[in-house]
Amino acid sequence: MTVQPQVENPSVTVLERSEQPLRNRRRARRALKRLPVWTIVTIVVVVVLYPQVWMILGSFKTQSEFLSNPALSLPENWIFDNYTTALNNGNVSRNYLNSILVTLPSVALIVLIGVAAGYALEVLVWRGRKGTLLYILAGIMVPGQMILVPLFTVYFRAGLTDSLWPLIITYTVMGLPLTTFLMAAYFRSIPREIFEAATVDGSSPLRSFFVIGLPMMRNSILTIGLVQFFSVWNDLLIALTFTTRPDLATIQVGLLSLSDQYGSTQYGPLFAAVSINIVVLLIVFVFLNKKIMAGMAAGSVKG
Amino acid sequence: MNSVFGDRKTIIILLAPALLLYTLLKIGPVAWSLGLSFFEGNTLRGFEFVGVDNFTKFFTDDAALQSLGVSVFFAIVATAGQILLGYLLALLYVFVLRKGSSLLRTIVFFPAILPTVAVALLFRSFVAVGDNQGPVNDLINLFGGESVEFLATTSGTMATALAMTLWGSMGFYAILLYAGLLDIPDEILESAKLDGANGLKLVRHIVVPLSLPILLSSIIFSLNATLKVFDSLLALNNGGPGTSTAPLTLYMYRTAFEYAEYGYGSTIALVLTLLCLVFTLAIFRSSQRKAED
């Protein structure tokens, strides 16, 4: 459980073979000085990882095995029974499907509409664009609770409550202000000369948006897309409010009702359903952690 | 050139979708909700204008005041913890581990992207599962203590909720503050060290003042996020025992959608919004006063 990237450096192992007592002693003293640091690092890593490992290991155990030895121990047999129970019995597989059906279109809409608005507010020149950006920015401050009741009424009147549309529409609206603001900021960092040169070459500003703006924003689009993906995927409030039938529930709502259903009697299926969530996000994170971390930091320090 | 970039048709095509959606489905509902807070009732029953009655009701409603207290308490303690742990981690990354901190940064950050519901269910099991009441109690037993039923009491539930919030977010705040600490010019640190500032002294007199802007914006961000706490307290213990850990958001949700009191629900939402605004402005003001000193 130690994180010591620099010690595993190959050049150090070469040195180790040509042993010299003096150097050894110096290294020992340095290691001793680093001991408190490594203790802290180890504690932090254990605190962060242990609960996750505990839950994932638990999801492979039988109920009796889990109860008799709940602390850290490997399962006697790696069984997937809990996973099949969770996916077949409850609505869990339906919940995951719903989450995907809601999250992908929402994120696509947020990013597409947001990047277009960012271009219109930053690259295009017109009177009132500063004010418009501020007007959109004001929406970041407003909590979701402020718009739930009116939106619920609207969706009910429009007959949309029996579908996933209320979720997709609401997530898109909620994600727009921050995305527009960040996209405008990213466009600001691109030299204007690029767009002006394209205009001289005969490209209309609309064409420049699709041919130059969008491709140049690829990185930012991926970053913002990831941030929005997590905020939509992880949301409970909006999903809970606009879900009228169990088979329309997203995974977060599903997990909540699953925990009511199994309560404190049957851990396996609940653990399995939660573990799927953890493992899928872990895989995404392993590949894209730099982008995710940069994006989430950018999203919070606004202004 | 500017006339080409001022092409009206292009502006409308690119901006209209965002502006329309935002105005119709965000600003419109906010105004609607503001109006609703002066009414009583719901769509089926009809609405009745009651003036400021909802507001006077709020401040005499024990359940409302209790949930207000839960939200404010949670926000203040969670923010203090998040910023403190995040800052300590950031100091560890920048000044102790330096270039070797990348793996640790990534590991500690990961819980920040996990769904709060999943984390809450994880922690709920973590303090309550099995004959022994979970691994946390195993540890307590190991040191000779009695098992504690965390979720049976208000303080136990609150402590668990705060622990899971810190667990989930400290890596995120560490990254935020880490970026701020990296911006401190090396020359300043070097010259301070030459002047004999070291360890704690260096942190207190040089590092903290120089990273004050990022600290303040992190505090504002954290307060705004934790004042809106919803998922964690709902999924952890359903706002219980009883309603003793139900935050304002949960009380608003229940009032509006379980008891169908749209008017009063909107009032509670407005109080929440104002609360976020007041906290943000308070931090802002105090920071400006400090800057003037």
Side-chain angles (χ1 to χ4, degrees):
Chain A
M1 212 39 93
T2 44
V3 191
Q4 301 182 314
Q6 63 267 64
V7 176
E8 266 131 37
N9 197 320
S11 64
V12 177
T13 31
V14 173
L15 269 179
E16 219 155 355
R17 276 189 209 115
S18 61
E19 277 188 5
Q20 290 172 335
L22 188 74
R23 184 166 295 169
N24 254 359
R25 207 180 307 153
R26 200 184 302 152
R27 193 178 311 132
R29 205 180 309 145
R30 222 177 50 205
L32 204 66
K33 228 177 123 188
R34 300 292 273 180
L35 192 66
V37 175
W38 293 124
T39 316
I40 293 172
V41 170
T42 310
I43 291 173
V44 170
V45 170
V46 169
V47 165
V48 170
L49 289 185
Y50 176 67
Q52 301 173 59
V53 173
W54 174 78
M55 169 141 285
I56 292 170
L57 289 180
S59 71
F60 289 101
K61 293 175 184 173
T62 61
Q63 178 87 352
S64 60
E65 190 187 346
F66 185 72
L67 286 183
S68 59
N69 198 359
L72 194 61
S73 66
L74 290 176
E76 283 158 27
N77 309 300
W78 292 80
I79 49 159
F80 281 87
D81 289 8
N82 292 323
Y83 286 85
T84 47
T85 312
L87 290 174
N88 296 334
N89 285 9
N91 271 328
V92 174
S93 42
R94 179 76 225 177
N95 295 147
Y96 272 108
L97 182 65
N98 285 339
S99 274
I100 294 170
L101 288 177
V102 166
T103 308
L104 294 185
S106 305
V107 172
L109 281 171
I110 292 173
V111 169
L112 189 67
I113 299 175
V115 82
Y119 182 86
L121 288 168
E122 190 55 43
V123 178
L124 300 180
V125 184
W126 45 286
R127 199 196 272 269
R129 57 181 184 145
K130 287 258 152 55
T132 312
L133 185 61
L134 279 179
Y135 167 69
I136 291 180
L137 197 58
I140 296 181
M141 283 288 294
V142 180
Q145 275 82 4
M146 269 308 267
I147 61 172
L148 287 186
V149 171
L151 285 184
F152 191 80
T153 315
V154 169
Y155 296 143
F156 187 74
R157 291 262 172 83
L160 289 176
T161 37
D162 218 23
S163 67
L164 292 171
W165 282 110
L167 296 185
I168 297 174
I169 298 170
T170 313
Y171 287 135
T172 305
V173 170
M174 298 279 289
L176 268 183
L178 183 65
T179 308
T180 305
F181 174 71
L182 288 176
M183 284 301 173
Y186 288 136
F187 273 119
R188 202 168 305 145
S189 64
I190 294 184
R192 281 197 73 80
E193 288 76 27
I194 294 178
F195 294 105
E196 288 174 355
T199 313
V200 171
D201 289 346
S203 166
S204 74
L206 187 61
R207 197 179 130 81
S208 297
F209 169 67
F210 286 107
V211 179
I212 304 170
L214 274 183
M216 284 194 81
M217 283 285 128
R218 242 189 345 232
N219 249 327
S220 319
I221 288 175
L222 181 60
T223 308
I224 308 237
L226 281 168
V227 174
Q228 296 297 344
F229 171 84
F230 290 117
S231 80
V232 173
W233 182 269
N234 294 350
D235 168 78
L236 178 69
L237 177 69
I238 287 158
L240 200 62
T241 309
F242 297 131
T243 298
T244 44
R245 289 202 321 258
D247 56 322
L248 287 176
T250 61
I251 184 60
Q252 310 312 337
V253 177
L255 283 181
L256 200 61
S257 60
L258 197 68
S259 80
D260 289 341
Q261 185 187 334
Y262 290 122
S264 47
T265 49
Q266 219 188 330
Y267 315 109
L270 181 64
F271 277 29
V274 175
S275 295
I276 298 173
N277 229 326
I278 296 181
V279 170
V280 170
L281 292 177
L282 180 63
I283 293 169
V284 176
F285 189 67
V286 164
F287 286 103
L288 294 167
N289 59 67
K290 289 239 160 56
K291 281 234 138 34
I292 295 170
M293 287 156 77
M296 286 179 62
S300 61
V301 188
K302 41 186 195 248
Chain B
M1 185 63 81
N2 273 359
S3 66
V4 181
F5 282 108
D7 180 39
R8 192 158 287 219
K9 216 173 80 193
T10 312
I11 296 170
I12 290 173
I13 292 174
L14 293 178
L15 191 60
L19 214 51
L20 272 179
L21 268 176
Y22 176 69
T23 306
L24 288 179
L25 294 170
K26 184 113 195 195
I27 298 303
V30 167
W32 187 344
S33 190
L34 275 176
L36 271 183
S37 58
F38 298 101
F39 284 84
E40 201 264 296
N42 62 44
T43 4
L44 295 178
R45 187 148 46 95
F47 288 100
E48 189 192 338
F49 184 79
V50 292
V52 293
D53 277 12
N54 281 334
F55 294 90
T56 43
K57 182 176 168 193
F58 182 91
F59 289 103
T60 49
D61 177 358
D62 286 340
L65 293 178
Q66 185 191 41
S67 64
L68 180 69
V70 169
S71 289
V72 171
F73 175 80
F74 183 86
I76 291 175
V77 179
T79 297
Q82 280 171 344
I83 301 296
L84 185 69
L85 284 180
Y87 202 67
L88 289 176
L89 280 171
L91 289 174
L92 178 73
Y93 296 164
V94 177
F95 294 112
V96 183
L97 299 176
R98 297 196 184 92
K99 293 245 153 42
S101 71
S102 132
L103 184 60
L104 185 68
R105 283 197 322 255
T106 313
I107 291 175
V108 180
F109 183 90
F110 175 64
I113 64 164
L114 292 179
T116 316
V117 178
V119 175
L121 295 181
L122 166 54
F123 271 73
R124 184 162 106 179
S125 314
F126 209 60
V127 297
V129 144
D131 309 329
N132 236 3
Q133 306 281 333
V136 174
N137 276 314
D138 285 343
L139 195 67
I140 294 176
N141 293 348
L142 193 69
F143 289 104
E146 291 275 306
S147 284
V148 182
E149 279 193 61
F150 285 96
L151 298 181
T153 60
T154 306
S155 53
T157 305
M158 210 55 172
T160 313
L162 287 165
M164 66 165 269
T165 304
L166 295 183
W167 181 82
S169 61
M170 63 181 183
F172 168 75
Y173 285 95
I175 292 294
L176 266 189
L177 297 163
Y178 167 78
L181 290 185
L182 282 185
D183 285 344
I184 298 178
D186 278 338
E187 301 86 65
I188 296 186
L189 295 175
E190 287 308 319
S191 63
K193 273 182 201 156
L194 284 180
D195 290 344
N198 255 319
L200 266 182
K201 235 184 187 167
L202 186 72
V203 169
R204 223 186 100 199
H205 296 291
I206 308 290
V207 178
V208 171
L210 284 176
S211 54
L212 208 56
I214 184 80
L215 264 174
L216 283 170
S217 56
S218 303
I219 291 173
I220 291 176
F221 180 76
S222 166
L223 276 175
N224 274 299
T226 48
L227 276 171
K228 294 172 198 158
V229 58
F230 178 75
D231 325 16
S232 38
L233 287 168
L234 174 61
L236 186 65
N237 207 6
N238 202 14
T243 57
S244 60
T245 61
L248 209 52
T249 48
L250 185 56
Y251 187 59
M252 180 270 161
Y253 176 83
R254 285 180 173 158
T255 306
F257 298 108
E258 282 173 22
Y259 304 113
E261 294 282 357
Y262 284 11
Y264 191 40
S266 299
T267 310
I268 303 170
L270 181 58
V271 172
L272 178 71
T273 310
L274 293 176
L275 201 64
C276 293
L277 214 62
V278 166
F279 269 77
T280 305
L281 289 178
I283 302 287
F284 234 52
R285 284 282 292 276
S286 74
S287 72
Q288 272 172 347
R289 204 168 307 139
K290 219 170 248 162
E292 278 163 19
D293 283 349

